[in-house]
Amino acid sequence: MSRDHHAYDREPENLVGRRQDLELIDDLLDRPADAPGALLLSGEPGVGKTALLNAVAQRASAAGVRILRAAGAEYETDTTYSGLNQLLLPLHEEIEALDDLYRQSLQVALGFGTGPPPQRLVVANATLALLRRAAVQQPLVLIVDDLPWIDRASAMILGLVARRLTGTGITFLAAARAESGGFFERTGLPTHEVLPLDDRSARQLVGFRHPGLVWSVVHRVVTAARGNPLALLELPTALTGPQRAALERLPEVLPLGQRLEALFAARVAGLPSASRRLLLIAALDGTGDLAVLQRAGELPSVQATLVDLGPAEQDDLVRIDEGDHRLRFRHPLIRSAVVGASTAAERRAAHCTIAEVLHDRLERRAWHLGEASVEPDEDVAALLERSAHMASTRGDSYAAIRALTRAGHLSPAVHDRARRLARAAFIGADATGELVNAAHLLEDARQAGSDDHASLYSAATTVHVMLNGTGDIDMAHHVIVSAIEETLQRSDAYDPALDEALYVLMLLCHFGGRRELWQAFHRVVARLPALPAVMRVSAAALGDPARVSVAALRELDELLAGLAHESDPTSVVRIGTSGVYVDRLSGARDAARRIWHQERDAGLAVKKLGVLPLLCQDAFNTGRWDETIRLADHGLLLREQVDYPFYTWYFRYEKALVAAARGDVGSAVETADAMTSWAVSRGAGQMMTAATHIRVLSAFADEDFESAFRYAEAISPAGTLPCYVPHAIWVVMDLVEAAVLTHRQAAATVHVRAVQEAGIANVSTRLALLVGGAAAVAATADDEATALFERALSLPGIDDWPFERARVALAFGERLRKAKVTSASREALLTALHIFEELGARPWADRAGRELRATGWAVARESGTAGLTPQESEVVHLAASGLTNKQIAERLHLSPRTVSGHLYRVFPKLGITTRAALRDALADLDGQ
């Protein structure tokens, strides 16, 4: 049967993720005449079998195919031939055209006539004859849904018919639940399992039918539904409005909608009471641990054994894994059905039972006691608060918020309630990124009352909301400083609430990048007897890295070494952030990657946003620029999902750095302009400085050294390293080189002296390389410059900073060429060219190439290159000069094998077969 491709070859708009299933069915409908014509669709309840059948019927009808349909129903299973009646009713007038035996048999079977019951084989033959007669006029598709509920007589007839459709133009398509029974004989018929939707299709379906759900709720629904389309459509309908908008936490087990209850609840209700009690405990416990169920069953309130799970196993509601001794619900919706079928009293009793069994497991016991409690109970609330701290430390922010929220509601004292709810709000804003839910919790805390701890958490949460709303740095700074000072007036004690508030204040000072903001921080800190190590190090290394002490750096190195075993995401983010400007990001790389790759449902969206800029900057610094772009794009996508606009600029900044360095100046400057516009109205001085840094690199890429100098001086005026402007130490060489190239020798000299006196070369190898390079560039005597360049380029570890190394090598090569030290100049310039080419830093590579040509070296000429890459050109010229592969490798910092590979590819390009022919071939090439 030929299909109309305009109406038949596309997935229906209301059917998502089923293209492959439809193509399989299409192939069945378009099968050769000698191919079988039946297919059974199998799958779990709600997986979308009926939707597929409906789509096939719609598409086939549009293509001119006649559709005959029937659907099994539980109440008709005892009504003989009721299914066949549904299917053949549209053909009842055509029955008259059959011969007498077939006509009478069908009329009696279908209730159109009277007479003795016909033999079923005769009815089957009559049915097939009727269908074949109808198919002569128009192709037929027989569609039977809920096949297991078809009555016995009809099922037997359909089974016989389905096996005899070869060469008839008739197709039989039926759907049944996986592993369901019924009277239909499936033997010998092909079966296709309709699988759950993949995550992408699941999210698409939920978004199409429930467009108002926030991302975190969509994620939870998709996780719970496991690709079951009916669950994806129905679970959101059972949520309240605040739950759909993430204003309230979702329950541990999502409630079923009405249609899902109809699928599963009846099966659960039909189990013996002991089975249901054990299943409820298993559903609320969530681990499936048979040891827990066994101990629970021994308690007087339960009185059941594991044997009582038998009926649930036989009905395929659960499965017992003997390997790890765990019970597993066949689908999460069955777990929801078990909970939904219980009363509130039964659930509280089950929670009490689980808590009693888990007496030695604090977190789980606390949670179950909290769920079992109906009145305020400080003992339970305190236990929940302890469990929240444990959950937060291991990175499970959602569990921490859930425990603190429940603890707040169970707190008898008003101030305890306020503190716990405020802390839950802070974790929500600081870790999960759900600002709306955080604001809701914050309002609950304010209504409950206030104490010092609650005020500090409230202020810190308010800052998060403000930064991602109006973004006003000064107003947010005032809010947090006022809360801290008010607290310190009442108490000198140091507690976690003060710790969090101080860190938020420090970040605000960094964002603002102004002395007056930092003065308030230092004024507050001066009143404290001590600071935590992370706070102490962060204030020094992040706030004013140009003046960071050796002791602070040593302490930071110790903290970074400890990240190998650190599970607390907050510590990873804070310690890693401390290393940004002092070039310690490699020490946080592995820990940051662990956070980035952690599961989404742990509630770490903001922590992931916190580590991604670290990974981006680390990748940029170490020359992995493509990775920088990839990570930044991930960050921008995540930022959209959690709606934290403040983080946008981190990722756009990183991408703009790469764009500027690679010569895409227009894109880079556009980003810098947007950053400046956003930052000026909000008082975000650090963001404005970052935008200026982009302009510095862009000006160098354009070889507009006058602009480069002005922009660099805007960050760090010549001869000064301004306090609380961390970028000042990053533009040391930019400023000095631009000064020399624009004939501002005095500015270059005074700035070199300033950075040398500040001792920033002691902070890291990269800064030592930049300071050494700047000093060499500023040197007026060639001998002094050469010595300084050689010292800088011989520093251990500079290979870790390829862009800076190449820039210093380029400056060295330029200086040597002007001094007419040709051989050494070429060596330095070739090194620079190689690195710039590897990075894709086109403007700098072009500059190095021009300098090489000025030395008389043939580099990638427009003609005569024979298709050689810059690195191949370097290798063959060195080989032609008589150097061995090992010597070339040492000169170009390659492996001998790489050199050999280059020569192997170059020989055919030059039309030679031996190394001895290289010199003449290059002479001919250079003469072209």
Side-chain angles (χ1 to χ4, degrees), residues 698-770:
S698 298
F700 265 101
D702 272 348
E703 298 190 26
D704 180 0
F705 304 120
E706 179 65 32
S707 294
F709 177 76
R710 288 190 289 104
Y711 289 135
E713 258 217 326
I715 296 174
S716 179
T720 64
L721 288 169
C723 295
Y724 312 119
V725 183
H727 273 82
I729 64 176
W730 283 4
V731 297
V732 167
M733 186 167 170
D734 298 292
L735 191 149
V736 171
E737 186 177 11
V740 170
L741 291 171
T742 57
H743 311 294
R744 292 179 172 93
Q745 184 62 46
T749 301
V750 72
H751 200 63
V752 168
R753 185 182 306 120
V755 297
Q756 287 176 335
E757 291 175 353
I760 66 171
N762 298 321
V763 172
S764 72
T765 300
R766 186 171 81 105
L767 291 174
L769 177 61
L770 290 174

Side-chain angles (χ1 to χ4, degrees), residues 294-510:
Q294 183 172 350
R295 291 198 299 271
E298 294 169 355
L299 297 176
S301 58
V302 180
Q303 294 184 347
T305 69
L306 296 183
V307 174
D308 291 306
L309 294 173
E313 285 187 87
Q314 293 167 2
D315 199 22
D316 200 29
L317 296 173
V318 298
R319 294 170 182 170
I320 305 299
D321 189 329
E322 298 296 344
D324 60 4
H325 301 287
R326 293 192 182 277
L327 174 146
R328 289 183 169 81
F329 289 96
R330 193 177 59 79
H331 195 283
L333 299 179
I334 297 174
R335 182 185 175 202
S336 296
V338 170
V339 175
S342 64
T343 65
E346 287 171 337
R347 290 192 292 274
R348 287 195 297 273
H351 281 299
C352 280
T353 297
I354 298 169
E356 186 174 349
V357 171
L358 300 176
H359 59 85
D360 58 342
R361 302 182 188 181
L362 187 147
E363 283 190 66
R364 291 173 61 196
R365 178 169 176 263
W367 174 248
H368 288 293
L369 285 175
E371 290 298 287
S373 301
V374 293
E375 295 181 351
D377 187 323
E378 177 56 26
D379 289 339
V380 175
L383 198 64
L384 282 165
E385 188 171 19
R386 285 176 57 198
S387 75
H389 176 73
M390 295 170 65
S392 181
T393 299
R394 72 167 185 273
D396 192 346
S397 299
Y398 281 138
I401 294 170
R402 190 166 61 241
L404 282 169
T405 303
R406 187 62 180 144
H409 293 153
L410 291 175
S411 301
V414 170
H415 65 276
D416 287 330
R417 175 185 174 91
R419 184 190 75 253
R420 287 159 178 160
L421 290 176
R423 187 180 172 202
F426 173 74
I427 294 174
D430 185 61
T432 70
E434 295 179 0
L435 292 177
V436 175
N437 188 47
H440 182 68
L441 285 169
L442 192 58
E443 183 58 31
D444 285 351
R446 287 170 177 160
Q447 291 179 3
S450 181
D451 70 352
D452 294 342
H453 313 291
S455 296
L456 290 172
Y457 282 128
S458 297
T461 305
T462 300
V463 166
H464 280 288
V465 174
M466 292 177 67
L467 284 180
N468 292 283
T470 63
D472 190 326
I473 298 290
D474 290 329
M475 179 59 71
H477 185 271
H478 173 73
V479 167
I480 197 72
V481 169
S482 298
I484 292 172
E485 289 184 335
E486 185 177 348
T487 299
L488 291 178
Q489 286 176 0
R490 298 195 185 102
S491 172
D492 292 329
Y494 195 86
D495 61 39
L498 184 57
D499 188 2
E500 299 294 352
L502 280 171
Y503 193 83
V504 168
L505 171 59
M506 187 195 67
L507 288 182
L508 279 175
C509 295
H510 172 66

Side-chain angles (χ1 to χ4, degrees), residues 1 3 7-12 14-15 18-30 39 41 48-69 140-144 171-175 192 194:
M1 115 189 23
R3 69 181 83 153
Y8 206 69
D9 266 354
R10 61 181 184 271
E11 194 173 60
N14 61 345
L15 200 63
R18 294 302 185 196
R19 181 171 298 279
Q20 291 183 346
D21 300 290
L22 288 170
E23 288 176 351
L24 176 71
I25 298 172
D26 289 349
D27 290 341
L28 173 70
L29 298 177
D30 269 355
L39 181 67
L41 300 181
K49 301 181 296 297
T50 300
L52 266 175
L53 294 179
N54 291 339
V56 169
Q58 178 185 352
R59 288 150 61 95
S61 180
V65 178
R66 188 173 187 179
I67 308 298
L68 302 179
R69 298 195 65 162
L140 288 180
V141 173
L142 314 180
I143 295 179
V144 182
T171 302
F172 178 83
L173 189 62
H192 171 65
V194 180

